[in-house]
């Protein structure tokens, strides 16, 4: 009887572990764009950053891939994500991406804004994890 209970427990544990290892989809929406030093944007840069926020960019993360619907449908592997141009947010080379990371419900993209007159050029685009929706 003890062997049967241990076998059932082992089988249940294996099933639970295999279920939790599946890739789950998480939903992310742009939340904010700000300077790393928290100072305000100067000039037209602020208007352009607000325009990016107003587009309400969002994506679904599944495994190591990001799936976007706007401005068009496309997919990016996080390992190959090296430039803001890949997000179709901008087609200019003013923005030099130097880092991106997921942590505790926040996805940050760090880049240098070479088009600004501000002292600090380090800028962050922040996405936040959202509850799943059929159409985000």
């Amino acid at each position: 009887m003890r062997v049967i209970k241990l076998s059932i427990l082992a089988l249940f544990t294996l099933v639970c572990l295999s279920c939790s290892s599946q890739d789950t989809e998480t939903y992310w929406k742009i939340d904010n764009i700000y300077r790393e030093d928290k100072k305000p944007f100067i000039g037209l840069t602020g208007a352009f950053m607000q325009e990016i926020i107003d587009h309400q960019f969002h994506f679904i993360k599944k495994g190591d891939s990001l799936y976007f619907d706007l401005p068009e449908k496309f997919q990016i592997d996080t390992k190959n994500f090296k430039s803001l141009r890949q997000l179709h947010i901008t087609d200019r080379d003013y923005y030099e991406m130097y880092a991106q990371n997921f942590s505790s419900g926040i996805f940050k993209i760090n880049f240098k804004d070479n088009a600004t007159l501000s002292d600090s050029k380090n800028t962050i685009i922040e996405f936040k994890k959202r509850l799943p929706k059929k159409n985000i």
Side-chain angles (χ1 to χ4, degrees), residues 19-55:
C19 289
S20 67
S21 67
Q22 294 175 350
D23 287 337
T24 58
E25 290 183 352
T26 54
Y27 301 83
W28 301 78
K29 186 175 178 184
I30 195 166
D31 186 62
N32 200 3
I33 302 176
Y34 54 91
R35 293 272 184 241
E36 196 172 70
D37 64 3
K38 306 292 188 199
K39 291 186 178 176
F41 292 104
I42 296 176
L44 292 175
T45 300
F48 183 67
M49 297 302 163
Q50 186 60 48
E51 186 177 319
I52 292 171
I53 291 172
D54 291 344
H55 273 91

